Amino acid sequence: MVSSDWLPGGGATRPLEKWPQPEARAMGQAAKVLQLFKTLHRTRQQVFKNDARALEARIKINEEFKCNKTETSPKKIEELIKIGSDVELILRTSVIQGIHTDHNTLKLVPRKDLLIENVPYCDAPTQKQ
């Protein structure tokens, strides 16, 4: 048994064999990786809706995950998860579709979730009453 003063917050004691093993942490990371994979694909489908060429980003996502499939270092896996999460955030919050309407004209098609946080810029702010 481990004394409670070794546990964060002085929690209850438990046998050493009950402590999380590396396999359990790896299973947790595997779940995170799978969740990120699914989230990236859902975001790709929303961001590139009705754009067959851009929807081919699916191939790039799959390639990147396949390249790093054999990674075993927990630190490196966490870095890759962070990079993937950052990419998903950028896609979701910063990418706007543009449709060519004429030779030099694009029609922008922003998604509703992009317009929620837009605040008009004002050089001369007004005072609240």
Side-chain angles (χ1 to χ4, degrees), residues 54-73:
L55 281 171
E56 291 175 6
R58 167 178 103 36
I59 296 167
K60 182 67 175 166
I61 293 169
N62 291 345
E63 282 175 2
E64 290 298 321
F65 275 82
K66 207 174 278 185
C67 287
N68 295 298
K69 184 178 181 178
T70 58
E71 185 61 53
T72 57
S73 166

PDB file of all heavy atoms in Angstrom, residues 54-73:
ATOM      1  N   ALA A  54     -11.524  20.494 -52.858  1.00  0.00           N
ATOM      2  CA  ALA A  54     -11.029  20.780 -51.509  1.00  0.00           C
ATOM      3  C   ALA A  54     -11.355  19.638 -50.545  1.00  0.00           C
ATOM      4  O   ALA A  54     -10.621  19.407 -49.589  1.00  0.00           O
ATOM      5  CB  ALA A  54     -11.624  22.083 -50.991  1.00  0.00           C
ATOM      6  N   LEU A  55     -12.437  18.905 -50.805  1.00  0.00           N
ATOM      7  CA  LEU A  55     -12.785  17.779 -49.944  1.00  0.00           C
ATOM      8  C   LEU A  55     -11.734  16.675 -50.018  1.00  0.00           C
ATOM      9  O   LEU A  55     -11.697  15.793 -49.179  1.00  0.00           O
ATOM     10  CB  LEU A  55     -14.163  17.222 -50.309  1.00  0.00           C
ATOM     11  CG  LEU A  55     -15.342  18.022 -49.757  1.00  0.00           C
ATOM     12  CD1 LEU A  55     -16.648  17.529 -50.360  1.00  0.00           C
ATOM     13  CD2 LEU A  55     -15.408  17.950 -48.243  1.00  0.00           C
ATOM     14  N   GLU A  56     -10.852  16.756 -51.009  1.00  0.00           N
ATOM     15  CA  GLU A  56      -9.766  15.785 -51.118  1.00  0.00           C
ATOM     16  C   GLU A  56      -8.727  15.982 -50.014  1.00  0.00           C
ATOM     17  O   GLU A  56      -7.758  15.221 -49.933  1.00  0.00           O
ATOM     18  CB  GLU A  56      -9.124  15.861 -52.500  1.00  0.00           C
ATOM     19  CG  GLU A  56     -10.042  15.347 -53.598  1.00  0.00           C
ATOM     20  CD  GLU A  56      -9.464  15.523 -54.984  1.00  0.00           C
ATOM     21  OE1 GLU A  56      -8.297  15.946 -55.112  1.00  0.00           O
ATOM     22  OE2 GLU A  56     -10.184  15.239 -55.944  1.00  0.00           O
ATOM     23  N   ALA A  57      -8.925  16.958 -49.162  1.00  0.00           N
ATOM     24  CA  ALA A  57      -8.068  17.122 -47.981  1.00  0.00           C
ATOM     25  C   ALA A  57      -8.143  15.860 -47.133  1.00  0.00           C
ATOM     26  O   ALA A  57      -7.258  15.589 -46.327  1.00  0.00           O
ATOM     27  CB  ALA A  57      -8.508  18.337 -47.170  1.00  0.00           C
ATOM     28  N   ARG A  58      -9.165  15.070 -47.360  1.00  0.00           N
ATOM     29  CA  ARG A  58      -9.320  13.782 -46.690  1.00  0.00           C
ATOM     30  C   ARG A  58      -8.089  12.916 -46.897  1.00  0.00           C
ATOM     31  O   ARG A  58      -7.596  12.272 -45.971  1.00  0.00           O
ATOM     32  CB  ARG A  58     -10.572  13.097 -47.248  1.00  0.00           C
ATOM     33  CG  ARG A  58     -10.747  11.659 -46.926  1.00  0.00           C
ATOM     34  CD  ARG A  58     -12.036  11.120 -47.494  1.00  0.00           C
ATOM     35  NE  ARG A  58     -12.069  10.309 -48.659  1.00  0.00           N
ATOM     36  CZ  ARG A  58     -11.201   9.385 -49.079  1.00  0.00           C
ATOM     37  NH1 ARG A  58     -10.109   9.176 -48.428  1.00  0.00           N
ATOM     38  NH2 ARG A  58     -11.401   8.668 -50.132  1.00  0.00           N
ATOM     39  N   ILE A  59      -7.559  12.951 -48.109  1.00  0.00           N
ATOM     40  CA  ILE A  59      -6.369  12.157 -48.433  1.00  0.00           C
ATOM     41  C   ILE A  59      -5.183  12.612 -47.591  1.00  0.00           C
ATOM     42  O   ILE A  59      -4.453  11.793 -47.036  1.00  0.00           O
ATOM     43  CB  ILE A  59      -6.060  12.256 -49.941  1.00  0.00           C
ATOM     44  CG1 ILE A  59      -7.201  11.642 -50.738  1.00  0.00           C
ATOM     45  CG2 ILE A  59      -4.737  11.593 -50.277  1.00  0.00           C
ATOM     46  CD1 ILE A  59      -7.171  11.960 -52.226  1.00  0.00           C
ATOM     47  N   LYS A  60      -4.993  13.922 -47.467  1.00  0.00           N
ATOM     48  CA  LYS A  60      -3.873  14.468 -46.693  1.00  0.00           C
ATOM     49  C   LYS A  60      -4.013  14.116 -45.207  1.00  0.00           C
ATOM     50  O   LYS A  60      -3.042  13.738 -44.563  1.00  0.00           O
ATOM     51  CB  LYS A  60      -3.790  15.989 -46.886  1.00  0.00           C
ATOM     52  CG  LYS A  60      -2.650  16.637 -46.165  1.00  0.00           C
ATOM     53  CD  LYS A  60      -1.311  16.228 -46.723  1.00  0.00           C
ATOM     54  CE  LYS A  60      -0.197  17.006 -46.052  1.00  0.00           C
ATOM     55  NZ  LYS A  60       1.099  16.450 -46.288  1.00  0.00           N
ATOM     56  N   ILE A  61      -5.221  14.237 -44.675  1.00  0.00           N
ATOM     57  CA  ILE A  61      -5.454  13.886 -43.272  1.00  0.00           C
ATOM     58  C   ILE A  61      -5.097  12.415 -43.050  1.00  0.00           C
ATOM     59  O   ILE A  61      -4.368  12.073 -42.124  1.00  0.00           O
ATOM     60  CB  ILE A  61      -6.921  14.155 -42.865  1.00  0.00           C
ATOM     61  CG1 ILE A  61      -7.208  15.653 -42.872  1.00  0.00           C
ATOM     62  CG2 ILE A  61      -7.230  13.561 -41.486  1.00  0.00           C
ATOM     63  CD1 ILE A  61      -8.679  16.002 -42.741  1.00  0.00           C
ATOM     64  N   ASN A  62      -5.612  11.549 -43.928  1.00  0.00           N
ATOM     65  CA  ASN A  62      -5.343  10.113 -43.795  1.00  0.00           C
ATOM     66  C   ASN A  62      -3.855   9.807 -43.913  1.00  0.00           C
ATOM     67  O   ASN A  62      -3.322   8.988 -43.163  1.00  0.00           O
ATOM     68  CB  ASN A  62      -6.134   9.319 -44.829  1.00  0.00           C
ATOM     69  CG  ASN A  62      -7.624   9.339 -44.547  1.00  0.00           C
ATOM     70  OD1 ASN A  62      -8.060   9.703 -43.461  1.00  0.00           O
ATOM     71  ND2 ASN A  62      -8.415   8.959 -45.531  1.00  0.00           N
ATOM     72  N   GLU A  63      -3.162  10.469 -44.849  1.00  0.00           N
ATOM     73  CA  GLU A  63      -1.720  10.259 -45.024  1.00  0.00           C
ATOM     74  C   GLU A  63      -0.941  10.633 -43.773  1.00  0.00           C
ATOM     75  O   GLU A  63      -0.047   9.902 -43.342  1.00  0.00           O
ATOM     76  CB  GLU A  63      -1.185  11.077 -46.205  1.00  0.00           C
ATOM     77  CG  GLU A  63      -1.477  10.506 -47.550  1.00  0.00           C
ATOM     78  CD  GLU A  63      -1.015  11.427 -48.677  1.00  0.00           C
ATOM     79  OE1 GLU A  63      -0.425  12.506 -48.395  1.00  0.00           O
ATOM     80  OE2 GLU A  63      -1.234  11.067 -49.835  1.00  0.00           O
ATOM     81  N   GLU A  64      -1.269  11.789 -43.184  1.00  0.00           N
ATOM     82  CA  GLU A  64      -0.558  12.248 -41.988  1.00  0.00           C
ATOM     83  C   GLU A  64      -0.747  11.287 -40.819  1.00  0.00           C
ATOM     84  O   GLU A  64       0.186  10.984 -40.097  1.00  0.00           O
ATOM     85  CB  GLU A  64      -1.008  13.655 -41.592  1.00  0.00           C
ATOM     86  CG  GLU A  64      -0.547  14.731 -42.547  1.00  0.00           C
ATOM     87  CD  GLU A  64       0.962  14.854 -42.625  1.00  0.00           C
ATOM     88  OE1 GLU A  64       1.645  14.738 -41.581  1.00  0.00           O
ATOM     89  OE2 GLU A  64       1.469  15.060 -43.737  1.00  0.00           O
ATOM     90  N   PHE A  65      -1.975  10.803 -40.635  1.00  0.00           N
ATOM     91  CA  PHE A  65      -2.218   9.857 -39.555  1.00  0.00           C
ATOM     92  C   PHE A  65      -1.516   8.530 -39.835  1.00  0.00           C
ATOM     93  O   PHE A  65      -0.979   7.905 -38.930  1.00  0.00           O
ATOM     94  CB  PHE A  65      -3.724   9.654 -39.333  1.00  0.00           C
ATOM     95  CG  PHE A  65      -4.329  10.694 -38.439  1.00  0.00           C
ATOM     96  CD1 PHE A  65      -4.702  11.929 -38.932  1.00  0.00           C
ATOM     97  CD2 PHE A  65      -4.516  10.445 -37.085  1.00  0.00           C
ATOM     98  CE1 PHE A  65      -5.243  12.897 -38.109  1.00  0.00           C
ATOM     99  CE2 PHE A  65      -5.061  11.405 -36.257  1.00  0.00           C
ATOM    100  CZ  PHE A  65      -5.422  12.639 -36.767  1.00  0.00           C
ATOM    101  N   LYS A  66      -1.510   8.113 -41.092  1.00  0.00           N
ATOM    102  CA  LYS A  66      -0.855   6.850 -41.451  1.00  0.00           C
ATOM    103  C   LYS A  66       0.657   6.937 -41.250  1.00  0.00           C
ATOM    104  O   LYS A  66       1.281   5.988 -40.784  1.00  0.00           O
ATOM    105  CB  LYS A  66      -1.167   6.510 -42.912  1.00  0.00           C
ATOM    106  CG  LYS A  66      -1.132   5.036 -43.222  1.00  0.00           C
ATOM    107  CD  LYS A  66      -1.601   4.758 -44.633  1.00  0.00           C
ATOM    108  CE  LYS A  66      -3.114   4.728 -44.652  1.00  0.00           C
ATOM    109  NZ  LYS A  66      -3.669   4.347 -45.948  1.00  0.00           N
ATOM    110  N   CYS A  67       1.255   8.092 -41.598  1.00  0.00           N
ATOM    111  CA  CYS A  67       2.704   8.279 -41.428  1.00  0.00           C
ATOM    112  C   CYS A  67       3.125   8.159 -39.968  1.00  0.00           C
ATOM    113  O   CYS A  67       4.226   7.701 -39.671  1.00  0.00           O
ATOM    114  CB  CYS A  67       3.138   9.648 -41.949  1.00  0.00           C
ATOM    115  SG  CYS A  67       3.142   9.776 -43.727  1.00  0.00           S
ATOM    116  N   ASN A  68       2.269   8.604 -39.070  1.00  0.00           N
ATOM    117  CA  ASN A  68       2.620   8.619 -37.642  1.00  0.00           C
ATOM    118  C   ASN A  68       1.971   7.485 -36.863  1.00  0.00           C
ATOM    119  O   ASN A  68       1.969   7.497 -35.635  1.00  0.00           O
ATOM    120  CB  ASN A  68       2.238   9.973 -37.046  1.00  0.00           C
ATOM    121  CG  ASN A  68       3.047  11.093 -37.640  1.00  0.00           C
ATOM    122  OD1 ASN A  68       4.258  11.112 -37.513  1.00  0.00           O
ATOM    123  ND2 ASN A  68       2.387  11.994 -38.339  1.00  0.00           N
ATOM    124  N   LYS A  69       1.453   6.499 -37.578  1.00  0.00           N
ATOM    125  CA  LYS A  69       0.748   5.380 -36.953  1.00  0.00           C
ATOM    126  C   LYS A  69       1.636   4.579 -36.009  1.00  0.00           C
ATOM    127  O   LYS A  69       1.174   4.086 -34.978  1.00  0.00           O
ATOM    128  CB  LYS A  69       0.213   4.466 -38.057  1.00  0.00           C
ATOM    129  CG  LYS A  69      -0.615   3.322 -37.587  1.00  0.00           C
ATOM    130  CD  LYS A  69      -1.125   2.524 -38.772  1.00  0.00           C
ATOM    131  CE  LYS A  69      -1.978   1.369 -38.312  1.00  0.00           C
ATOM    132  NZ  LYS A  69      -2.503   0.618 -39.456  1.00  0.00           N
ATOM    133  N   THR A  70       2.906   4.484 -36.317  1.00  0.00           N
ATOM    134  CA  THR A  70       3.801   3.655 -35.513  1.00  0.00           C
ATOM    135  C   THR A  70       4.505   4.428 -34.398  1.00  0.00           C
ATOM    136  O   THR A  70       5.331   3.861 -33.696  1.00  0.00           O
ATOM    137  CB  THR A  70       4.874   3.005 -36.414  1.00  0.00           C
ATOM    138  OG1 THR A  70       5.595   4.039 -37.081  1.00  0.00           O
ATOM    139  CG2 THR A  70       4.241   2.065 -37.421  1.00  0.00           C
ATOM    140  N   GLU A  71       4.170   5.700 -34.227  1.00  0.00           N
ATOM    141  CA  GLU A  71       4.800   6.517 -33.181  1.00  0.00           C
ATOM    142  C   GLU A  71       4.446   5.945 -31.808  1.00  0.00           C
ATOM    143  O   GLU A  71       3.291   5.656 -31.529  1.00  0.00           O
ATOM    144  CB  GLU A  71       4.324   7.968 -33.290  1.00  0.00           C
ATOM    145  CG  GLU A  71       5.000   8.899 -32.330  1.00  0.00           C
ATOM    146  CD  GLU A  71       6.498   8.972 -32.534  1.00  0.00           C
ATOM    147  OE1 GLU A  71       6.939   9.235 -33.655  1.00  0.00           O
ATOM    148  OE2 GLU A  71       7.225   8.728 -31.550  1.00  0.00           O
ATOM    149  N   THR A  72       5.470   5.779 -30.961  1.00  0.00           N
ATOM    150  CA  THR A  72       5.233   5.205 -29.631  1.00  0.00           C
ATOM    151  C   THR A  72       5.568   6.158 -28.493  1.00  0.00           C
ATOM    152  O   THR A  72       5.148   5.937 -27.367  1.00  0.00           O
ATOM    153  CB  THR A  72       6.065   3.918 -29.446  1.00  0.00           C
ATOM    154  OG1 THR A  72       7.440   4.229 -29.662  1.00  0.00           O
ATOM    155  CG2 THR A  72       5.613   2.830 -30.400  1.00  0.00           C
ATOM    156  N   SER A  73       6.302   7.227 -28.781  1.00  0.00           N
ATOM    157  CA  SER A  73       6.695   8.169 -27.742  1.00  0.00           C
ATOM    158  C   SER A  73       5.481   8.995 -27.295  1.00  0.00           C
ATOM    159  O   SER A  73       4.903   9.731 -28.098  1.00  0.00           O
ATOM    160  CB  SER A  73       7.786   9.098 -28.272  1.00  0.00           C
ATOM    161  OG  SER A  73       7.944  10.198 -27.413  1.00  0.00           O
TER     162      SER A  73
END
